[in-house]
Amino acid sequence: MAVLDIRDVVVQYDAEGDELVVALDHVSVTIGPGEFVVALGASGCGKTTLLNLMAGFLQPTSGMTTFDGRPILGPGAERGVVFQHGALMPWLNTLDNVAFGLALKGVPRDERRERAREMLRLVGLEGVERRRIWELSGGMRQRVGVARALTADSQVLLMDEPLGALDALTREQMQELILEIWVRTAKSIFFITHGIDEAVFLATKLLVMTPRPGRVAARLDLDFGRRFAAGASASEIKARPEFLATRDRVRSLVFSSRQLASVAS
Amino acid sequence: MRDAPIAETSAAVNTVPRARKVRRARWRLTYVNKVSIATCIGVLLLWQLASWVEVVPAMFLPSPLAVAKKLVRVSTDGFQDATLLQHLLASLGRVGAALAGAVVAGVVLGFAMTLDETARGIIEPLLEIYRPIPPLAYLPLVIIWFGIGEGAKILVIFLGILPSILIATHDGLRSVSQDRVNAARSLGATHMQVVTRVLLPHAAPSILTGTRIGLGTGWATLVAAELVAATRGLGFMIKGAADFLVTDVVILGILVIAFVAVAMEFGLRLLQRVLAPWQGHE
């Protein structure tokens, strides 16, 4: 049973000078229950457009987008989004940011704060409930963003380069944290990145995307993330020959497809 | 299972140097403050000295002491059938009513203009045509149309304040990031909730800045409005005193307006710090 289904979707923009930009050209993606789907590609390959379709921020020019068999007509709390720059509300403290989705639904204050506190604990943030969000580090802010999406009890987490703005050390910690959360909550995840190591480490299903027009050039089924979840350490996994081989293969896929794209245009 | 990595990573992140605590604004004098205070005292002394040696006749430049004495006189006995407090309250009432009206109208129109293309098409040209006109220029027209009553005075002040609040609201709303709006929508926010829970708080600092700027224009317009057919008000008091060359009352009126305007400005700044502490942190 597919949770989220993008079928044969085309997205076109009218750019300046009557030029038609094809952001996505007949793309199909399925996110099944408990899958960790990673979209990898250079900027302009349509990965954010793909996420916007899933979130319901955007309607396709043609093709079908469904969630649990129902067409996606707009944003909804069952599809939580985590943004690259957090998109938190600075007028709310950390706890109320996490509880924001419940506040919108009219859940009583004590109840929603209790739930938010739980989610903050899940993402490893305790004792910062009352902090202003601008007092938090970049990594902490992204944890708050993840906790906010989880509190709304979404079934799928859509993550738009959530680690893109973080330093390398924090980034590795966050990769492990996201895998932890994925296993504990059994959510499906769609994750955008342009980090090859990150993509190979996290994905159960990896989409290599190419720009102009945005297409899925290759699909790989991987299981390094599952192995981490089963107890292997991240550094050990990343040092394995299979990991290195897969990474090199993905890298050559990314670069050859980029050359193809530039030849085609 | 696997509790260890979470505990590890959270410990690592939590040891990131604690972010600055928002320091409570304390009344500590900076170097600039000290220079400012010295300047004010210096001007006062110079003024006292100038009137003491009678550089100009006291009729044109009464001493600070004379003005202070007048403050007591006008406060108790009044000037032109009203005490200073009554003049002040009349003016404050007008500015207050106009300001309240302008905040409501400015915020509503600012939202309309940002959220609706048609509304923007209607409001923008009207605003751009009337905004650069000095209130003194359209004051006679307002009097011809609306008479010399209280309503006309408040209207002129209102028209003086409105543009800065409207433009500030519009600018504040336009600066909201699409991500922030999308974040609320993906958490299930309705259109109305996006307006009240994202756009309004987001624009609040900007609206308050617009209000501060508008208030300055408001006081400037007040005096003009009170020059015509008022029986009370600081502007009226100044005009009346000038007609009879009662220079100390003129200076007194000016100083009272300055004092009240500065007090309101600081009040609004304080309000801004309380209501929008995140300003400058984004």
Side-chain angles (χ1 to χ4, degrees):
Chain A
M1 183 197 80
V3 171
L4 213 158
D5 199 20
I6 303 289
R7 196 166 301 165
D8 201 29
V9 153
V10 176
V11 174
Q12 295 178 336
Y13 293 108
D14 276 324
E16 279 173 50
D18 287 336
E19 199 190 342
L20 208 60
V21 175
V22 182
L24 288 177
D25 187 22
H26 297 282
V27 169
S28 296
V29 181
T30 303
I31 303 175
E35 274 193 307
F36 199 128
V37 180
V38 175
L40 172 71
S43 45
C45 71
K47 42 193 202 304
T48 297
T49 307
L50 191 55
L51 183 137
N52 285 342
L53 282 173
M54 293 174 176
F57 300 147
L58 186 74
Q59 288 299 316
T61 312
S62 73
M64 283 252 292
T65 58
T66 56
F67 179 81
D68 264 348
R70 291 184 304 275
I72 296 172
L73 300 172
E78 71 283 352
R79 285 160 283 133
V81 184
V82 179
F83 296 85
Q84 181 177 4
H85 298 290
L88 303 172
M89 314 293 161
W91 47 89
L92 301 176
N93 66 20
T94 303
L95 189 65
D96 287 334
N97 261 288
V98 176
F100 189 58
L102 297 178
L104 293 172
K105 281 188 200 135
V107 174
R109 200 174 71 176
D110 288 346
E111 192 185 328
R112 66 176 189 249
R113 288 196 169 163
E114 191 43 50
R115 290 264 300 279
R117 230 170 252 127
E118 242 168 70
M119 290 305 148
L120 275 177
R121 222 170 294 139
L122 184 66
V123 298
L125 281 181
E126 271 170 294
V128 298
E129 286 85 355
R130 303 183 70 87
R131 288 251 205 121
R132 298 287 186 177
I133 56 158
W134 66 82
E135 298 178 294
L136 304 178
S137 69
M140 291 163 101
R141 253 183 256 183
Q142 285 311 76
R143 287 167 186 239
V144 173
V146 172
R148 178 175 71 176
L150 289 172
T151 307
D153 208 22
S154 51
Q155 296 174 49
V156 188
L157 283 185
L158 307 172
M159 309 178 101
D160 189 0
E161 286 190 51
L163 312 184
L166 304 180
D167 63 86
L169 283 175
T170 313
R171 197 168 176 150
E172 289 201 0
Q173 292 173 348
M174 285 293 290
Q175 290 170 3
E176 297 179 19
L177 179 83
I178 287 170
L179 282 176
E180 287 288 342
I181 291 167
W182 172 59
V183 172
R184 279 202 187 181
T185 60
K187 308 270 181 202
S188 310
I189 293 183
F190 178 73
F191 186 102
I192 291 178
T193 182
H194 47 232
I196 293 172
D197 279 49
E198 184 168 283
V200 171
F201 180 54
L202 295 176
T204 61
K205 193 195 266 181
L206 175 60
L207 312 173
V208 178
M209 296 186 68
T210 55
R212 279 174 294 273
R215 278 189 184 135
V216 177
R219 292 163 201 265
L220 286 84
D221 288 317
L222 303 173
D223 66 346
F224 299 108
R226 285 221 165 91
R227 285 190 216 176
F228 175 80
S233 87
S235 53
E236 188 216 326
I237 291 171
K238 287 180 183 171
R240 281 186 197 169
E242 317 149 61
F243 182 87
L244 299 174
T246 311
R247 192 190 64 187
D248 290 342
R249 197 173 134 223
V250 170
R251 173 170 289 137
S252 62
L253 275 171
V254 169
F255 284 104
S256 69
S257 58
R258 198 187 266 181
Q259 275 158 7
L260 275 179
S262 64
V263 167
S265 66
Chain B
M1 49 167 255
R2 292 189 58 91
D3 276 318
I6 285 196
E8 248 170 55
T9 48
S10 72
V13 170
N14 284 335
T15 51
V16 163
R18 285 203 155 232
R20 295 160 275 135
K21 277 267 172 216
V22 210
R23 225 182 297 133
R24 281 184 64 89
R26 267 192 297 150
W27 295 109
R28 205 163 7 116
L29 291 180
T30 64
Y31 172 72
V32 177
N33 292 152
K34 286 174 191 163
V35 172
S36 304
I37 291 169
T39 305
C40 292
I41 295 172
V43 168
L44 215 60
L45 286 177
L46 220 61
W47 175 14
Q48 179 68 46
L49 191 73
S51 55
W52 187 51
V53 297
E54 287 203 42
V55 181
V56 287
M59 187 190 280
F60 301 128
L61 185 67
S63 72
L65 233 55
V67 173
K69 276 182 198 151
K70 205 66 177 189
L71 169 67
V72 179
R73 276 279 303 282
V74 179
S75 299
T76 50
D77 301 347
F79 182 81
Q80 292 190 325
D81 302 328
T83 63
L84 183 62
L85 188 67
Q86 286 170 321
H87 286 304
L88 176 63
L89 288 179
S91 293
L92 272 178
R94 286 172 192 136
V95 173
L99 185 70
V103 169
V104 173
V107 170
V108 169
L109 292 176
F111 267 89
M113 197 169 150
T114 317
L115 299 178
D116 188 83
E117 298 263 279
T118 313
R120 197 170 119 220
I122 296 170
I123 297 166
E124 215 161 40
L126 298 179
L127 179 71
E128 289 310 318
I129 289 167
Y130 111 81
R131 190 169 66 97
I133 307 170
L136 268 175
Y138 55 72
L139 177 64
L141 195 63
V142 172
I143 291 168
I144 293 170
W145 286 351
F146 299 100
I148 52 174
E150 206 58 22
K153 291 186 189 64
I154 293 170
L155 180 66
V156 174
I157 304 167
F158 167 85
L159 288 174
I161 302 175
L162 181 66
S164 36
I165 298 181
L166 204 166
I167 290 167
T169 307
H170 182 52
D171 276 356
L173 288 173
R174 273 195 313 181
S175 74
V176 73
S177 76
Q178 191 58 47
D179 274 0
R180 194 168 276 170
V181 173
N182 278 345
R185 290 173 67 212
S186 73
L187 289 166
T190 61
H191 283 292
M192 203 56 213
Q193 282 178 322
V194 169
V195 169
T196 56
R197 290 179 178 252
V198 181
L199 296 180
L200 192 61
H202 175 86
S206 186
I207 294 170
L208 282 166
T209 302
T211 306
R212 280 168 51 196
I213 296 168
L215 202 57
T217 327
W219 281 105
T221 319
L222 168 83
V223 178
E226 287 181 345
L227 291 180
V228 183
T231 53
R232 253 173 214 183
L234 292 170
F236 161 77
M237 185 182 92
I238 292 170
K239 173 71 166 42
D243 288 346
F244 297 104
L245 216 61
V246 190
T247 317
D248 45 8
V249 173
V250 173
I251 294 176
L252 176 65
I254 291 169
L255 290 180
V256 170
I257 289 177
F259 182 78
V260 174
V262 166
M264 285 178 105
E265 163 73 14
F266 275 99
L268 279 172
R269 276 194 211 176
L270 203 68
L271 195 69
Q272 205 161 7
R273 219 177 300 154
V274 172
L275 289 182
W278 65 89
Q279 206 177 11
H281 287 289
E282 283 195 81

